[in-house]
Amino acid sequence: MSNFAELSVNGKTYKLPIIVGTEDEVAIDISSLREQSGIITLDIGYKNTGATKSAITFLDGEKGILRYRGYPIEQLAEKSTFLEVAYLLIYGELPKQHELEKFKGEIKEHQLMHEDKKKIMDGFPSKSHPMGVLSSLVTTLTTFFPESLDPNRPDAKVDLTIKRLLAKMPPMVAWSYTKERGLPSNYPDNSLDYVSNFLKMMFALPTKAYEEDPIVTDAMEKIFVLHADHEQNCSTSTVRIVGSSQASLYASVAAGVNALWGPLHGGANQAVIEMLDNIVKDGGNTEKYIEKAKDKNDPFRLMGFGHRVYKNFDPRAKILKKQADIILNKLGVAAPELEVAKKLEEVALRDEYFVERKLYPNVDFYSGIIMKAIGIPTEMFPVMFSIGRLPGWIAQWKEMRENKEPIGRPRQVYIGEKVRDYVEISKR
Ligand code: CMC
């Protein structure tokens, strides 16, 4: 393959370097185009734009492949744990036994929450959406650990900042949940592993101890592993771009939490269950909603279907579909929304509109169903996704800094008014 692409505009030809990735992905490096020609490229929604060169996650949407640091997601979901995957994403290699033990120990050491955080929690109105509470709490870490503010400082201790964030995310998430419910906040239990400890902080009550169900813990572990990174998605790109201004890890990740909140991204799993609830309330007529989703004059979309990059199947959805079946069978959960979900899945998978556009159930469709079945309230779904995505955000922020990437600052094609003179208000 040639090392250069040639672009002709108005009779002039510009040479642009070709970059080839490990998996033979080909990109045209247009970074010198404006300098050469005064021309920029336009790609609204970055549908065809690589924002970085990354060694963390490989994804082939056409073939349904997802790998973290080269390891297939199917193997990681089956054989590893969330903290092992976090280590892999952040440090680049699977940990040896002693490395993993040390990593786990350090995380346990930092999971206690400053009591002043309780006062901050008290200030939130009751019924606050837990995503708003979580992103605020992540930002407040900058105030408890001011040395994290400038990651360039020689005493910044970036690795400690990373471990603190991994350690404090589960209690912050659990507290965002107990706050909303008006329940007392639970403290971490160092005798438990990461996911069990998190579930205990969520569900233990002063009147009723939390009884661990290994099926539930396993499903949660898998959901976290499957969400741990997804290359340059909306929230991860947000984390990288905020971090590129040299903002701290906590500030960058708080921005990532907010980016994840929207229903087209991490809010989709919540939107899935809300959609299912609405369909049930409306009589459970799935055909009607399939027709609505296909109607271009109707803004309704089938939430949990379709993906920007997976145009064949979502490998994460395949794994979680199995897990959803296990959970539903074992827990014997029968809920009308879950019946509607099954029907929607069946109809959409053979409907021409969905087949033609390659719209398959995505990971959020099944993660929503699993979390509903294990009793996690819908508004908590994107918050759970935040715990899962945290290692990816951290790894991508770290990589962006290690690559010494410049500040992210896209250009635009201006389509507003040409220059015009100010008109006095009395004359308008
Ligand atoms: N229901 C009905 N039609 C759809 C849907 C849907 N869920 N998704 C896409 N389409 C149609 C869309 O109307 C368009 O049709 P046409 O070509 O006739 O105009 C075509 O399919 C292509 O859609 P698009 O909007 O150009 O695709 P996109 O890549 O910009 O959007 C998406 C991807 C995920 C935002 C979109 O499929 C969607 O809104 N899905 C529902 C929300 C959802 O489940 N989001 C979670 C994504 S997975 C979590 C994550 O990784 O962040």
Side-chain angles (χ1 to χ4, degrees), residues 148-162:
S148 69
L149 279 176
D150 177 1
N152 297 322
R153 262 169 55 166
D155 61 343
K157 299 193 187 121
V158 172
D159 200 51
L160 178 59
T161 297
I162 289 174

Side-chain angles (χ1 to χ4, degrees), residues 47 227 230 233-235 260 262-269 271-272 290 292-296 300-311 314 316 353-354 357-360 362-365 385 389:
K47 290 195 174 196
H227 283 84
H230 213 227
N233 56 82
C234 174
S235 59
L260 189 72
L264 297 189
H265 190 17
N269 44 18
V272 167
I290 296 271
K292 270 168 79 64
K294 287 158 47 173
D295 180 356
K296 292 291 164 210
F300 177 78
R301 277 190 168 199
L302 217 49
M303 300 314 289
F305 280 75
H307 200 276
R308 170 59 61 82
V309 288
Y310 293 120
K311 300 297 179 194
D314 180 340
R316 305 166 301 169
Y353 173 95
F354 291 89
R357 289 170 180 75
K358 301 184 192 307
L359 301 170
Y360 301 89
N362 58 46
V363 68
D364 291 311
F365 189 70
F385 192 160
R389 186 52 52 88

Side-chain angles (χ1 to χ4, degrees), residues 214-268:
I215 295 169
V216 169
T217 310
D218 185 48
M220 220 50 252
E221 188 103 40
K222 286 200 168 52
I223 289 179
F224 289 157
V225 166
L226 294 174
H227 283 84
D229 194 46
H230 213 227
E231 51 119 295
Q232 309 310 315
N233 56 82
C234 174
S235 59
T236 301
S237 301
T238 301
V239 170
R240 282 185 90 120
I241 214 163
V242 173
S244 76
S245 76
Q246 307 291 315
S248 74
L249 176 67
Y250 300 143
S252 307
V253 166
V257 173
N258 285 320
L260 189 72
W261 197 346
L264 297 189
H265 190 17

Side-chain angles (χ1 to χ4, degrees), residues 103-289:
F103 185 57
K104 283 184 186 169
E106 284 169 329
I107 288 173
K108 281 187 176 172
E109 192 186 315
H110 292 292
Q111 59 184 349
L112 258 187
M113 300 271 271
H114 197 293
E115 279 300 292
D116 283 352
K117 266 223 143 93
K118 279 258 179 77
K119 295 184 196 149
I120 295 172
M121 293 296 299
D122 288 343
F124 290 116
S126 57
K127 307 283 174 222
S128 298
H129 193 290
M131 273 306 252
V133 173
L134 178 66
S135 70
S136 312
L137 290 181
V138 175
T139 305
T140 63
L141 290 175
T142 58
T143 62
F144 289 96
F145 304 105
E147 70 278 13
S148 69
L149 279 176
D150 177 1
N152 297 322
R153 262 169 55 166
D155 61 343
K157 299 193 187 121
V158 172
D159 200 51
L160 178 59
T161 297
I162 289 174
K163 283 164 186 156
R164 275 196 179 122
L165 184 52
L166 283 166
K168 292 182 196 305
M169 193 73 162
M172 289 192 298
V173 166
W175 284 16
S176 74
Y177 167 75
T178 44
K179 167 77 197 178
E180 193 206 8
R181 307 254 131 175
L183 298 168
S185 317
N186 291 316
Y187 287 88
D189 177 345
N190 265 1
S191 70
L192 297 176
D193 68 34
Y194 197 80
V195 178
S196 315
N197 182 23
F198 165 64
L199 289 170
K200 184 177 170 193
M201 281 187 284
M202 285 274 292
F203 296 121
L205 293 171
T207 48
K208 192 169 181 285
Y210 173 67
E211 277 174 40
E212 185 171 4
D213 180 339
I215 295 169
V216 169
T217 310
D218 185 48
M220 220 50 252
E221 188 103 40
K222 286 200 168 52
I223 289 179
F224 289 157
V225 166
L226 294 174
H227 283 84
D229 194 46
H230 213 227
E231 51 119 295
Q232 309 310 315
N233 56 82
C234 174
S235 59
T236 301
S237 301
T238 301
V239 170
R240 282 185 90 120
I241 214 163
V242 173
S244 76
S245 76
Q246 307 291 315
S248 74
L249 176 67
Y250 300 143
S252 307
V253 166
V257 173
N258 285 320
L260 189 72
W261 197 346
L264 297 189
H265 190 17
N269 44 18
Q270 176 178 354
V272 167
I273 298 298
E274 283 166 0
M275 174 189 76
L276 297 176
D277 281 344
N278 284 337
I279 299 178
V280 170
K281 277 189 204 130
D282 194 26
N285 184 348
T286 44
E287 295 291 344
K288 174 179 164 188
Y289 283 86

